[in-house]
């Protein structure tokens, strides 16, 4: 794709005011130019969709491809970097029918009924982590809620589901953190990518030799054994579920806890009536929208969206944080309102056939954590001014690098 006009870059700079707001410039674009062209750091360009209706239209239309090899796909600056020749692709970067075939293999493991059966385990894990927090001597140092709870819980949960030894959690947190950094070049990411693939290869081979009671083992003994999956498919599955299964939820836990610490009225309402927590989680997902740099698509045909013609071979980036703050859909959208009647219509998990596979698990984890923190630590507060909290402005998944708290 080429253009002669100078174009602005993809909005990424955080706002100067509230750290929970979307990147600066998205609100203006949504009002003035909801489908605009933005420059990519590889010299190309893509359409940027900022309006809720347009985002849903694009994500729900099969004429927009998720395949990174499709002509015009905007790979520049995407999560995990640009695909390389011979690289394995997870099914989220595929189109039907291959996407449908592969996704169906793991759908049952993330269905609401399966996740609800895990809720007692999630509660036990959360209670154990909170017990450890209570034993910390805070007279010397505050507790970092990210390291003490937000990262370990989803890591424990996805490790349990996938059959990853939890003693390896420091390794995969370090590797995924590097891969998701905005500040590294592809060359700088490459050693990390190689190390992660080597680790996953080793894990898959271990499951082949000695299957257990977990997702990867089941894929090995069923689909792989029947020739429906290759070894490369298994590795791609494991990488996708491992990365997506803890980075996203960990950052939502941190931001959700912080926003409730700063809004005691809302925290008190939830503490007094825990039945409100399910709706509050939907509103927190809408309000924070931690995926700041996608999803992305390539047009497979000429398609008109919101009165704008997007031609075949042109790339599109949808701005989820902007869509979830669209006043036409969510009145008073910049306010956290746990009683919002349509909060569940957010697109924080995407929309269409690529909607997040693990959304039921993420919801359950957030519900358990929020309820438990409000009950056990009613006086929890940030231990430093908000201005000193290190937000993940350098990452494609927004959140807090650290969240010092006390109570």
């Amino acid at each position: 794709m080429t253009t002669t006009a100078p174009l602005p870059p993809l909005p990424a700079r955080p706002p100067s005011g509230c750290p929970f707001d979307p990147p600066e410039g998205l609100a203006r674009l949504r009002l003035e130019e909801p489908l605009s062209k933005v420059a990519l750091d590889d010299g190309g360009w893509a359409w940027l969709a900022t309006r809720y209706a347009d985002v849903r239209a694009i994500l729900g239309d099969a004429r927009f491809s998720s395949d990174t090899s499709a002509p015009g796909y905007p790979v520049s600056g995407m999560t995990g970097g640009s695909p390389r020749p011979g690289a394995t692709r997870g099914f989220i970067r595929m189109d039907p029918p291959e996407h449908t075939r592969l996704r169906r293999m793991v759908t049952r493991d993330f269905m609401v009924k399966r996740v609800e059966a895990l809720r007692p385990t999630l509660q036990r894990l959360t209670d154990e982590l909170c017990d450890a927090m209570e034993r910390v001597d805070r007279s010397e140092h505050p507790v970092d809620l990210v390291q003490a709870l937000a990262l370990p819980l989803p890591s424990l949960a996805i490790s349990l589901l996938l059959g990853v030894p939890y003693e390896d959690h420091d390794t995969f947190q370090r590797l995924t953190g590097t891969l998701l950094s905005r500040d590294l070049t592809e060359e700088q990411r490459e050693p990390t990518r190689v190390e992660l693939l080597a680790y996953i290869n080793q894990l898959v081979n271990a499951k082949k030799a000695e299957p257990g009671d977990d997702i990867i083992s089941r894929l090995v003994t069923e689909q792989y054994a029947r020739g429906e999956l290759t070894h490369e498919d298994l590795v791609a599955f494991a990488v996708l579920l491992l990365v997506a299964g803890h980075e996203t939820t960990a950052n939502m836990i941190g931001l959700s806890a912080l926003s409730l610490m700063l809004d005691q009225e809302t925290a008190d309402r939830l503490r007094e009536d825990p039945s409100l927590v399910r709706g509050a989680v939907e509103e927190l997902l809408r309000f924070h929208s931690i995926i700041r740099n996608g999803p992305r698509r390539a047009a497979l045909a000429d398609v008109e969206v919101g009165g704008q013609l997007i031609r075949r071979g042109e790339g599109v980036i949808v701005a989820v944080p902007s869509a979830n703050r669209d006043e036409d859909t969510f009145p008073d959208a910049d306010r956290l309102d746990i009683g919002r009647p349509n909060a569940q219509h957010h697109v924080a998990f995407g929309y269409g056939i690529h909607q997040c596979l693990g959304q039921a698990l993420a919801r359950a984890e957030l519900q358990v954590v929020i309820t438990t923190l409000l009950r056990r630590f009613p006086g929890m507060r940030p231990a430093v001014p908000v201005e000193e909290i290190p937000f993940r402005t350098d990452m494609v998944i927004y959140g807090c690098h650290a969240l010092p708290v006390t109570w």
Side-chain angles (χ1 to χ4, degrees):
M1 297 181 296
T2 60
T3 183
T4 57
L7 297 174
L10 182 68
R13 189 161 60 91
S16 56
C18 177
F20 301 143
D21 287 344
E24 197 167 35
L26 288 178
R28 181 189 60 78
L29 285 174
R30 187 175 63 246
L31 292 173
E32 299 176 5
E33 196 178 1
L35 271 164
S36 60
K37 293 180 179 180
V38 292
L40 303 176
D41 55 20
D42 63 357
W45 66 273
W47 292 102
L48 178 66
T50 52
R51 192 165 50 191
Y52 178 86
D54 296 340
V55 165
R56 292 243 308 190
I58 291 164
L59 295 180
D61 193 328
R63 293 173 293 177
F64 289 100
S65 173
S66 295
D67 188 340
T68 52
S69 65
Y73 190 98
V75 296
S76 174
M78 65 188 289
T79 304
S82 307
R84 297 151 342 281
T88 58
R89 293 180 298 139
F91 60 81
I92 63 170
R93 294 179 181 172
M94 295 179 182
D95 294 332
E98 192 67 357
H99 165 268
T100 309
R101 182 182 75 86
L102 293 173
R103 180 176 170 121
R104 189 177 291 131
M105 293 179 184
V106 289
T107 298
R108 68 182 184 183
D109 296 291
F110 293 94
M111 294 179 68
V112 172
K113 185 176 180 180
R114 288 284 183 101
V115 170
E116 287 303 308
L118 281 175
R119 194 175 283 265
T121 300
L122 295 176
Q123 186 65 64
R124 175 180 59 81
L125 295 173
T126 302
D127 285 335
E128 290 173 356
L129 292 168
C130 289
D131 290 343
M133 286 169 55
E134 287 187 324
R135 292 192 293 267
V136 173
D137 180 3
R138 300 190 310 283
S139 63
E140 293 291 330
H141 300 286
V143 171
D144 179 1
L145 195 66
V146 172
Q147 294 299 323
L149 179 62
L151 269 174
L153 177 65
S155 294
L156 282 165
I158 201 64
S159 297
L160 182 67
L161 288 170
L162 292 180
V164 176
Y166 182 68
E167 56 267 26
D168 293 345
H169 78 285
D170 285 338
T171 297
F172 65 73
Q173 284 173 8
R174 172 180 58 82
L175 295 173
T176 56
T178 301
L179 287 177
L180 293 168
S181 174
R182 288 182 185 271
D183 290 345
L184 300 179
T185 65
E186 286 306 302
E187 290 71 23
Q188 291 170 321
R189 286 193 186 99
E190 188 60 24
T192 301
R193 185 180 287 110
V194 170
E195 186 179 351
L196 178 60
L197 288 175
Y199 172 79
I200 297 299
N201 264 298
Q202 183 180 14
L203 177 66
V204 169
N205 286 330
K207 299 298 180 184
K208 289 179 180 178
E210 190 175 346
D213 182 19
D214 54 73
I215 292 174
I216 298 176
S217 294
R218 186 176 58 72
L219 290 172
V220 166
T221 57
E222 296 180 14
Q223 281 79 16
Y224 178 78
R226 293 197 294 261
E228 297 172 5
L229 283 178
T230 65
H231 178 85
E232 290 72 23
D233 291 331
L234 284 170
V235 170
F237 256 124
V239 169
L240 170 63
L241 298 176
L242 186 61
V243 174
H246 77 279
E247 276 283 346
T248 48
T249 307
N251 285 289
M252 266 304 304
I253 289 173
L255 289 175
S256 298
L258 177 59
S259 56
L260 291 175
M261 282 185 262
L262 299 177
D263 184 352
Q264 279 303 307
E265 182 180 349
T266 296
D268 289 343
R269 285 181 63 194
L270 293 173
R271 192 177 293 111
E272 292 165 6
D273 186 358
S275 69
L276 299 175
V277 168
R278 286 180 182 265
V281 164
E282 299 304 317
E283 174 67 351
L284 287 162
L285 287 161
R286 180 202 70 83
F287 185 72
H288 288 299
S289 302
I290 60 174
I291 304 299
R292 297 281 167 113
N293 197 17
R296 300 178 176 215
R297 299 289 187 266
L300 299 178
D302 291 357
V303 186
E304 185 175 309
V305 177
Q308 173 64 56
L309 179 64
I310 300 175
R311 296 192 178 278
R312 177 181 180 181
E314 294 180 343
V316 184
I317 301 171
V318 301
V320 166
S322 176
N324 280 337
R325 296 291 187 97
D326 191 333
E327 295 277 344
D328 288 342
T329 302
F330 307 105
D332 200 10
D334 289 334
R335 183 171 67 90
L336 180 68
D337 176 9
I338 63 170
R340 189 179 299 277
N342 67 338
Q344 74 274 14
H345 296 310
H346 63 76
V347 287
F349 290 121
Y351 182 73
I353 62 171
H354 287 281
Q355 197 169 27
C356 176
L357 177 69
Q359 59 183 286
L361 178 60
R363 285 183 166 104
E365 289 172 341
L366 286 164
Q367 291 162 10
V368 168
V369 167
I370 289 170
T371 303
T372 305
L373 285 178
L374 290 172
R375 183 183 74 249
R376 295 189 58 168
F377 303 98
M380 182 174 283
R381 62 190 183 276
V384 299
V386 174
E387 298 77 26
E388 296 180 17
I389 294 173
F391 289 95
R392 291 165 54 102
T393 56
D394 56 332
M395 311 294 279
V396 295
I397 296 177
Y398 192 62
C400 305
H401 283 296
L403 180 53
V405 297
T406 190
W407 54 91

